């Protein structure tokens, strides 16, 4: 038996033991008896709609409902925080910190809407540590995904759920980190878009009721609220509507010849009238300009996925 073998087995044993301790937190409360700081109210709805540019008439006037996607707004603690957080979540976090998984990144959230919320609704909530994943290695580093589920109620009746997932991880060694572009996050709302991209087709959603095109992909129409939709394939023609140049942090997968930057991130206006964030290729970052004509291409990344990018037009 070699020393290296012993060391490996010792590490494996410690990992198994840690995972058992982490899993013991599944089902334990992360917050109990939470109370929304405000009743559902017209002012917050109006500010939200203005910030989102959402003019849906369902959210204003007599009989208005709150935008369903505001669900979390009614449970957030604000700067002064909530006092109803349980010790279990902090203990879980401390356990991971103590084992060296000190970094954290929010990976995704998923909401389910069970009934519309209206001004005057009184929000209460509980949260539970729903799952802790087995140890996973990602491009950021190795760690554990922790999913918290919040059950939101109005007047005590179920109104929705909000699942929130983080990765608590030990950062990968410098140099390896970020050597390939991160893979896109594919979810139920955008899966069709990424299937299109894999087949080198850029698909835009089109409302089945009012024919308004939309991007990025959403479950419903922002113009009329209809959940019916089909898709149209973009011609690939577009112009740079706006752009920023990223200088920091350097990210090796991006930039000319992969040196990490600076690089231009552009908002492309497609000929079909929708806009999408992408990269402009074939041009130095400091030559990108508003109004620049660009044409769609598909870039195969190191991780094997396809990404839509835009090549600057000739001249
Ligand atoms: Zn519509």
């Amino acid at each position: 038996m070699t020393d290296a073998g012993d060391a490996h087995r010792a590490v494996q044993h410690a990992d198994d033991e840690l995972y058992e301790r982490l899993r013991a937190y599944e089902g334990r409360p992360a917050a109990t008896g939470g109370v929304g700081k405000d009743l559902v109210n017209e002012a917050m709805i109006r500010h939200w709609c203005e910030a989102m540019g959402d003019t849906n008439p369902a959210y204003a006037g007599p009989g208005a409902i709150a935008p369903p996607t505001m669900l979390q707004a009614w449970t957030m603690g604000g700067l002064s925080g909530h006092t109803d957080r349980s010790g279990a979540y902090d203990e879980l976090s401390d356990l991971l910190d103590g084992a060296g998984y000190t970094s954290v990144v929010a990976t995704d959230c998923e909401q389910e809407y069970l009934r519309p919320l209206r001004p005057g609704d009184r929000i209460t909530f509980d949260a539970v540590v729903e799952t802790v994943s087995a140890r996973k290695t990602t491009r950021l580093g190795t760690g554990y995904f922790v999913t918290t589920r919040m059950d939101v109620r109005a007047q005590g009746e179920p109104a929705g759920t909000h699942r929130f997932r983080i990765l608590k991880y030990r950062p990968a060694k410098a140099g390896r980190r970020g050597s390939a572009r991160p893979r896109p996050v594919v979810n139920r709302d955008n899966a069709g878009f990424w299937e299109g991209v894999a087949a080198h087709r850029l698909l835009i959603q089109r409302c089945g009721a009012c024919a308004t095109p939309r991007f990025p992909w959403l479950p419903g129409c922002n113009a009329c609220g209809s959940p019916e939709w089909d898709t149209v394939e973009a011609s690939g023609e577009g112009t740079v509507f706006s752009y920023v140049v990223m200088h920091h942090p350097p990210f090796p997968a991006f930039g000319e010849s992969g040196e990490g930057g600076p690089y231009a991130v552009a908002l492309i206006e497609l000929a079909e009238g929708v806009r999408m964030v992408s990269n402009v290729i074939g041009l130095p970052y400091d030559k990108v300009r508003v109004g620049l004509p660009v044409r769609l291409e598909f870039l195969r990344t190191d991780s094997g996925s396809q990404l839509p990018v835009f090549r600057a037009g000739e001249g």
Side-chain angles (χ1 to χ4, degrees):
M1 190 179 291
T2 65
D3 288 351
D6 284 347
H8 178 75
R9 270 182 288 278
V11 167
Q12 186 63 49
H13 179 69
D15 287 339
D16 292 347
E17 197 177 69
L18 176 63
Y19 183 46
E20 282 309 306
R21 292 179 68 192
L22 294 172
R23 283 189 60 191
Y25 284 88
E26 289 185 348
R28 290 188 58 184
T32 47
V35 178
K37 291 213 159 177
D38 299 287
L39 300 181
V40 174
N41 66 85
E42 289 171 4
M44 282 171 67
I45 293 170
R46 183 175 63 79
H47 286 291
W48 172 282
C49 289
E50 288 191 4
M52 296 293 171
D54 192 335
T55 56
N56 192 316
Y59 307 145
I65 62 168
T69 49
M70 276 189 83
L71 186 67
Q72 196 190 9
W74 310 116
T75 64
M76 292 180 101
L79 294 177
S80 53
H82 280 300
T83 54
D84 37 43
R85 190 157 148 170
S86 88
Y89 194 83
D90 292 336
E91 281 174 33
L92 174 63
S93 188
D94 289 347
L95 190 57
L96 284 161
D97 284 340
Y101 302 96
T102 51
S103 295
V104 62
V105 61
T107 60
D108 59 290
C109 79
E110 192 171 312
Q111 296 182 335
E112 193 175 349
Y113 312 117
L114 302 174
R115 56 152 277 188
L117 294 175
R118 295 194 159 78
D121 279 343
R122 182 176 299 277
I123 300 298
T124 54
F125 57 92
D126 292 302
V128 64
V129 177
E130 190 169 58
T131 54
V132 182
S133 76
R135 199 167 61 125
K136 305 275 189 192
T137 296
T138 73
R139 290 189 186 281
L140 285 172
T142 294
Y144 296 84
F145 289 93
V146 179
T147 305
T148 309
R149 188 191 75 239
M150 180 178 282
D151 294 306
V152 181
R153 291 179 296 273
Q155 289 81 246
E157 296 294 317
T161 60
H162 173 78
R163 279 188 177 79
F164 184 70
R165 190 169 297 123
I166 61 162
L167 173 66
K168 276 285 278 179
Y169 66 99
R170 191 197 306 262
K173 298 249 186 318
R176 285 179 53 224
R177 181 178 181 175
S179 58
R181 290 195 185 209
R183 274 190 289 253
V185 175
V186 179
N187 58 38
R188 283 183 291 180
D189 291 336
N190 69 14
F193 171 74
W194 289 108
E195 283 164 19
V197 167
H200 286 195
R201 301 174 71 213
L202 188 70
L203 299 177
I204 299 166
Q205 281 178 306
R206 177 175 55 190
C207 175
C210 75
T212 302
R214 66 176 184 265
F215 191 90
W217 281 38
L218 293 168
C221 176
N222 273 343
C224 76
S226 169
E228 305 299 326
W229 54 270
D230 63 1
T231 59
V232 288
E233 183 173 355
S235 67
E237 303 293 338
T239 54
V240 173
F241 183 81
S242 184
Y243 67 96
V244 294
V245 175
M246 285 291 294
H247 291 267
H248 289 284
F251 193 83
F254 291 88
E256 294 291 317
S257 67
E259 84 287 17
Y263 57 95
V265 178
L267 184 61
I268 308 295
E269 183 156 87
L270 298 177
E272 289 75 15
V274 297
R275 297 173 191 152
M276 66 179 289
V277 176
S278 186
N279 278 156
V280 174
I281 62 169
L283 196 66
Y285 70 88
D286 56 354
K287 294 289 189 286
V288 175
R289 292 287 178 269
V290 169
L292 185 76
V294 290
R295 178 153 187 82
L296 173 68
E297 279 186 16
F298 291 91
L299 176 74
R300 187 182 162 83
T301 69
D302 292 348
S303 59
S305 52
Q306 302 279 344
L307 288 178
V309 296
F310 289 85
R311 182 172 292 280
E314 296 302 315

